[in-house]
Amino acid sequence: MTPSLLREIVGRDHARLCCKDANPAISPASLWNRQDINEFKQNIKKDGSEGIIKVGHGETVTVRVPTHENGSCLFWEFATDHYDIGFGVYFEWTVADSNQVSVHVSESDDEEDYDEAAEAEGAPATGGPGDVESGGRIQTRRDDPNKPRQDEIIPVYRRDCHEEVYAGSHRYPGRGVYLLKFDNSYSLWRSKTLYYRVYYSK
């Protein structure tokens, strides 16, 4: 056996062993729609203002939902008034300080860090970071060693959630924080009123 072949085999074995410590694979989410949109919005209004968010034009709202120690699955439901909105789900491999759901608003999806050099080398105009239609918002992401790893569960696509309730669930892959992204960055003029609910089950 030549030294170079031995190095190649040892390198492959080392990579295989290192991968055992990686985060587990993410299972796909379950998605469904419901027709009771008016009843859903009325129930959210009765529950108080916590489940209603105004997503301004050009904004992205991220709802951060930590996994719960008594739960094993996250559920979400949402709808809007009059117009569609972009929606996607990510999982951040970090341990949250509390179980509190928090809402973060950004002018654009500045939580994503794109590799501009790779984009300049011929990435297509569609499917890039600003294209909610294609769901290609994280095609060329840079890994920042100072930020926790994120896995995409559902890519950001525009949803006709002004016509029916969009709902879904996902089994926890481990401890971490779900990021539910409501993306209105493509809208130059229209703000959207979002009604949403998140909860967990065992």
Side-chain angles (χ1 to χ4, degrees), residues 67-113:
T67 54
H68 196 281
E69 59 188 15
N70 296 327
S72 64
C73 190
L74 177 73
F75 288 82
W76 60 83
E77 303 170 306
F78 68 94
T80 55
D81 285 336
H82 312 300
Y83 306 106
D84 66 358
I85 198 163
F87 174 74
V89 179
Y90 298 81
F91 189 81
E92 185 175 272
W93 294 91
T94 187
V95 178
D97 295 333
S98 74
N99 290 334
Q100 294 297 313
V101 173
S102 59
V103 176
H104 303 267
V105 179
S106 59
E107 284 297 316
S108 63
D109 201 354
D110 55 17
E111 290 180 8
E112 305 294 354
D113 192 7

Side-chain angles (χ1 to χ4, degrees), residues 89-166:
V89 179
Y90 298 81
F91 189 81
E92 185 175 272
W93 294 91
T94 187
V95 178
D97 295 333
S98 74
N99 290 334
Q100 294 297 313
V101 173
S102 59
V103 176
H104 303 267
V105 179
S106 59
E107 284 297 316
S108 63
D109 201 354
D110 55 17
E111 290 180 8
E112 305 294 354
D113 192 7
Y114 298 98
D115 186 348
E116 293 173 3
E119 209 171 293
E121 289 176 7
T126 60
D131 190 2
V132 178
E133 293 286 343
S134 72
R137 298 186 67 80
I138 60 167
Q139 283 185 348
T140 53
R141 270 188 66 189
R142 245 184 250 152
D143 288 329
D144 184 344
N146 299 318
K147 290 184 179 179
R149 182 179 140 198
Q150 284 183 22
D151 283 331
E152 180 181 81
I153 297 170
I154 302 171
V156 176
Y157 282 106
R158 288 171 71 171
R159 320 286 173 162
D160 290 329
C161 50
H162 58 298
E163 297 175 351
E164 53 191 355
V165 179
Y166 275 66

Side-chain angles (χ1 to χ4, degrees), residues 9-108:
I9 292 169
V10 170
R12 277 198 312 253
D13 288 344
H14 176 70
R16 194 166 38 245
L17 289 171
C18 289
C19 289
K20 287 183 179 177
D21 295 331
N23 296 327
I26 300 282
S27 62
S30 297
L31 302 172
W32 61 93
N33 298 358
R34 298 197 333 250
Q35 299 299 316
D36 61 336
I37 187 166
N38 292 327
E39 182 181 340
F40 172 76
K41 290 195 279 191
Q42 287 303 319
N43 288 335
I44 295 295
K45 288 177 183 176
K46 286 179 192 172
D47 291 343
S49 61
E50 286 183 6
I52 303 172
I53 301 172
K54 182 179 178 185
V55 185
H57 57 86
E59 289 183 344
T60 296
V61 168
T62 302
V63 178
R64 296 179 60 89
V65 186
T67 54
H68 196 281
E69 59 188 15
N70 296 327
S72 64
C73 190
L74 177 73
F75 288 82
W76 60 83
E77 303 170 306
F78 68 94
T80 55
D81 285 336
H82 312 300
Y83 306 106
D84 66 358
I85 198 163
F87 174 74
V89 179
Y90 298 81
F91 189 81
E92 185 175 272
W93 294 91
T94 187
V95 178
D97 295 333
S98 74
N99 290 334
Q100 294 297 313
V101 173
S102 59
V103 176
H104 303 267
V105 179
S106 59
E107 284 297 316
S108 63

